Amino acid sequence: MTEDRVGWFTEARFGLFVHWGLYSLAARHEWVKQREKLSDADYQRYFDHFRADRFDARKWARDAKAAGMRYAVLTTKHHDGFCLWDSALTDYKSTNTPAGRDVVAEFVEAFRAEGLRIGLYHSLLDWHHPDFTIDGWHPQWDDRADLGELNAGRDMDRYLAYLHCQVRELVTAYQPDLLWFDFSYDDDHRVTVGKGAADWRADKLVGLVRELSPHTLINDRLGLSGSEDFATAEEASPDTAMGAVPWEACRTLNGSWGYAPGFQQWLDAGQVVRILVDSVSKGGNLLLNVGPDGRGAFEPQARELLAEVGAWTELHGDAIHGAGAAPEFTAPRDTRLTRSGNRLFVHVFGWQAGTLVLAGLAERVRYASFLHDGAEVECSVVDEEGNLPHLQNAGPPGSLVVHLPTRRPDVLLPVIELILT
Ligand code: GLC
């Protein structure tokens, strides 16, 4: 891994995850086949009715760009095995549904046209392929009287040839900026029989990608430690910066990756902005998911949320894109710090304190203003006794004290920019 290859990724900071597939028609989570133990025959009805008549990749791309996102990752195939591109290796693909469209091709073209980088999510699991052996996460796991019998005739070597050849197809056709493999579960305490790096022949897969497209970044879910360009964190962020490895938090908007109107635990735009800032302040990215509906559209609530987030990133992008952690400074309580060169950004999560005390910064700050409108912000310096004119015990001597105006600015998250000497 070299800095150059991964540079665009850590600059970008904010991306769109798109989970779309047959499960979007079931509209109750992308694991519906497994959760409800559906057979291939049960699941066929979604294939037969996949029309994609409201799918417009240019609209998705415009929404993502307006939100301030710089890259997007689409599911080429999820665990259900349905392929969203015109793979020569299977009939189980979007071009054979009533939609008759190559979703991946349209996605790649539209997002690149908007200047976004593209990533391809690819499931290592496959609950449709006849050679993928039944394991603890497979929808048919509960049917087993005898696992040997159930897996008789299933040949993982043939499945692996399929998996590797499909990855070859995708990488050759699109030279993606990143590949997002999902996932390894040989050490998952919830399943007795899992699969991991050896089952995927992950070393060969990585070698293949590196050879065909050296610039393509690979995530950490092949289970092959040392092969990853970036780490992933799901529905959570680490407590502190994760050292030198670039990382990305991926989050759902409402608890489901695939379209699921029954899941109503929506984040609001303010939470999304705080999650984004929190990630960047720890040196990470945020990959925010939208699950388009069964016809291919982003639902209104998701679009509104992206637009609101975009109104914030439009004014505050400098504190996100190309910015990172500022470990040399201590963030005042209820704030996060991000830094870009000599610009230090204080993201003020709470407004109640009245002042923000930045230890050791009195000598280092030349100018302070709000990032959204450039309005100067009043600052003072704690004296040798630790006091301010109207406040005793204000903080350690030599601290910079930022005075917050009484009225909190009307933005999702106010940011104060400090210019460092
Ligand atoms: C999990 C789930 C999956 C989802 C992914 C996103 O591994 O299996 O449904 O696509 O996480 O991070």
Side-chain angles (χ1 to χ4, degrees):
M1 184 191 84
T2 66
E3 262 308 299
D4 285 340
R5 291 176 57 243
V6 85
W8 72 264
F9 179 78
T10 47
E11 284 260 334
R13 290 302 183 209
F14 190 24
L16 174 73
F17 213 172
V18 180
H19 276 70
W20 196 40
L22 298 184
Y23 47 78
S24 311
L25 279 71
R28 47 189 197 274
H29 200 276
E30 75 285 354
W31 275 57
V32 60
K33 192 176 187 190
Q34 191 270 353
R35 289 184 169 188
E36 299 179 14
K37 314 294 173 206
L38 303 179
S39 66
D40 285 345
D42 296 330
Y43 208 70
Q44 182 62 26
R45 60 183 182 271
Y46 307 127
F47 185 95
D48 294 339
H49 295 94
F50 189 78
R51 287 180 295 137
D53 63 319
R54 296 196 69 217
F55 165 52
D56 180 349
R58 286 165 308 180
K59 267 195 188 157
W60 292 5
R62 282 197 295 267
D63 282 353
K65 189 168 188 185
M69 292 160 161
R70 295 280 171 92
Y71 64 110
V73 181
L74 171 71
T75 49
T76 53
K77 178 190 88 162
H78 205 264
H79 310 333
D80 64 5
F82 177 66
C83 297
L84 280 85
W85 81 102
D86 193 14
S87 172
L89 301 157
T90 184
D91 293 331
Y92 200 52
K93 56 185 175 182
S94 57
T95 44
N96 284 346
T97 64
R101 290 164 71 178
D102 185 323
V103 174
V104 177
E106 292 185 40
F107 164 84
V108 170
E109 194 190 331
F111 277 77
R112 285 200 164 138
E114 286 291 340
L116 278 83
R117 299 267 185 165
I118 64 111
L120 302 178
Y121 167 109
H122 196 71
S123 174
L124 300 164
L125 293 69
D126 196 314
W127 299 331
H128 177 81
H129 198 283
D131 284 310
F132 186 85
T133 51
I134 311 295
D135 59 32
W137 278 136
H138 196 285
Q140 279 170 260
W141 175 251
D142 291 350
D143 301 345
R144 74 193 186 289
D146 163 8
L147 198 57
E149 206 174 293
L150 204 55
N151 278 330
R154 289 182 180 258
D155 178 351
M156 272 301 276
D157 282 343
R158 277 200 302 252
Y159 174 67
L160 286 178
Y162 175 76
L163 172 68
H164 288 215
C165 287
Q166 283 205 321
V167 170
R168 175 186 287 278
E169 270 188 352
L170 287 167
V171 173
T172 308
Y174 301 115
Q175 304 277 307
D177 297 293
L178 69 83
L179 279 174
W180 217 102
F181 291 112
D182 196 35
F183 63 94
S184 297
Y185 48 108
D186 48 351
D187 58 357
D188 186 332
H189 66 275
R190 292 167 297 176
V191 291
T192 37
V193 180
K195 288 188 175 70
D199 301 283
W200 318 127
R201 297 222 181 96
D203 49 346
K204 284 221 164 116
L205 201 51
V206 170
L208 176 76
V209 175
R210 299 288 186 227
E211 187 195 319
L212 293 172
S213 181
H215 78 276
T216 300
L217 306 181
I218 300 179
N219 74 342
D220 64 350
R221 293 197 181 179
L222 282 165
L224 186 67
S225 112
S227 69
E228 72 275 18
D229 294 301
F230 66 96
T232 60
E234 185 163 320
E235 295 287 40
S237 304
D239 226 19
T240 50
M242 294 217 273
V245 194
W247 64 273
E248 177 193 69
C250 54
R251 301 289 284 249
T252 61
L253 282 179
N254 59 358
S256 174
W257 302 95
Y259 178 66
F263 284 64
Q264 287 304 339
Q265 308 224 9
W266 282 76
L267 295 176
D268 63 44
Q271 282 175 292
V272 169
V273 165
R274 289 194 294 278
I275 292 169
L276 172 63
V277 165
D278 182 62
S279 301
V280 179
S281 77
K282 295 168 184 166
N285 288 15
L286 173 65
L287 188 66
L288 184 68
N289 183 75
V290 175
D293 68 19
R295 298 175 65 183
F298 286 6
E299 62 195 302
Q301 197 160 348
R303 297 196 70 208
E304 278 157 31
L305 192 140
L306 292 181
E308 272 183 73
V309 170
W312 185 87
T313 50
E314 191 187 348
L315 300 174
H316 300 92
D318 287 357
I320 300 295
H321 303 123
E328 60 280 45
F329 305 112
T330 307
R333 183 201 295 254
D334 245 355
T335 71
R336 298 288 184 282
L337 300 178
T338 65
R339 182 178 182 174
S340 183
N342 73 338
R343 304 170 74 188
L344 181 65
F345 302 100
V346 188
H347 302 257
V348 190
F349 283 25
W351 203 255
Q352 54 282 1
T355 55
L356 301 176
V357 180
L358 289 128
L361 272 178
E363 299 292 314
R364 294 226 33 208
V365 172
R366 267 194 298 161
Y367 190 69
S369 60
F370 280 108
L371 182 57
H372 69 281
D373 66 354
E376 186 174 14
V377 175
E378 191 193 333
C379 294
S380 49
V381 174
V382 176
D383 69 20
E384 277 157 27
E385 267 79 57
N387 301 325
L388 285 175
H390 302 290
L391 184 67
Q392 295 197 339
N393 297 325
S399 298
L400 180 83
V401 178
V402 174
H403 298 264
L404 301 176
T406 317
R407 191 171 168 276
R408 182 187 182 279
D410 192 16
V411 290
L412 287 178
L413 173 60
V415 179
I416 294 164
E417 171 178 3
L418 303 175
I419 304 292
L420 302 173
T421 52

